[in-house]
Each structure stands twice: as C-alpha cells, then as structure tokens.
Amino acid sequence: QVQLVESGGGLVQAGDSLRLSCAASGRFFNTYAVGWFRQAPGKERAFVAGIGTSGGSTYYADSVKGRFTVSRDNAKNTVYLQMISLKPEDTAVYYCAAVKWSPRRWSTSDGYDYWGQGTQVTVSS
C-alpha cells in the first residue's frame, strides 16, 4: 500500500519553471514505478512522464520532452518532476501515480494502482 501526496504546483508565467514533488508513504517505495499524468479542464487525463524503480529508466510524452525531467530519491520516498520553459498549454492538474515494479504500459492510467490528489499548475501567457 502506498499513499502519494503531490506538491509544488502554482501560478507561473510562460517560460518559468516549477518543480513538482510526489511524496510517498508506505514501505518499499523503491519497488514502485511512478508516473506523472495531467488533466486539463475538459480533457482526458494524459501521461506526462514515468520513472522506473531505481530511476534508471525514464519515459516522456512527446509534448514535454526536453522541457520536463522526472527523477526520484528513494531515500526520501519522493519523485520529482522538474518543468522548465512552461507553456500555457501545460496548465492542468498534475497527478502522480504508482504501481508495483512496472506498469503494463507507462502511458495509460489504468496501469497504476495508487494515485495522489493532484496539484494545480497554471501557466499564464
């Protein structure tokens, strides 16, 4: 069982940076893969990035490649999403999600068993 809490969202201007955190409670967090998803108003939840249990494998949606970086610190039970060069179209509620070992498919939300409550990111133009 894993509980996830996101933080770090906020209101920024286009071109700014933000770092989101996903703090996990529960044991053996280093055996869970983590994905970041986002949901904009009126849109479906979409995959943003994913990271394997050790942090050695990372995956990104095409829309964020080169701008977002996912990382993890297993000693702190935390996964990060560093976002730079933010755009208004990045505005969404950002969620982290976890699954034991690895999801069947990184990019589909049904591959994850545990979800945080989300954190709002708003990018103004």
Side-chain angles (χ1 to χ4, degrees), residues 1-4 32-33 35 96-100 109 111-116:
Q1 190 82 9
V2 173
Q3 292 81 42
L4 304 172
Y32 287 82
C96 63
V99 62
K100 193 74 167 176
S109 57
Y112 299 81
D113 295 323
Y114 305 100
W115 290 81

Side-chain angles (χ1 to χ4, degrees), residues 77-95:
N77 277 15
T78 302
V79 172
Y80 304 98
L81 184 67
Q82 178 69 51
M83 308 183 293
I84 67 171
S85 302
L86 282 162
K87 305 175 182 180
E89 51 263 44
D90 294 318
T91 295
V93 177
Y94 284 70
Y95 300 88

Side-chain angles (χ1 to χ4, degrees), residues 34-37 47-51 59-61 64 68 70 81 106 112:
V34 174
W36 284 96
F37 288 76
F47 174 75
V48 175
I51 188 165
Y59 308 87
Y60 297 94
V64 306
F68 291 12
V70 60
L81 184 67
W106 284 92
Y112 299 81

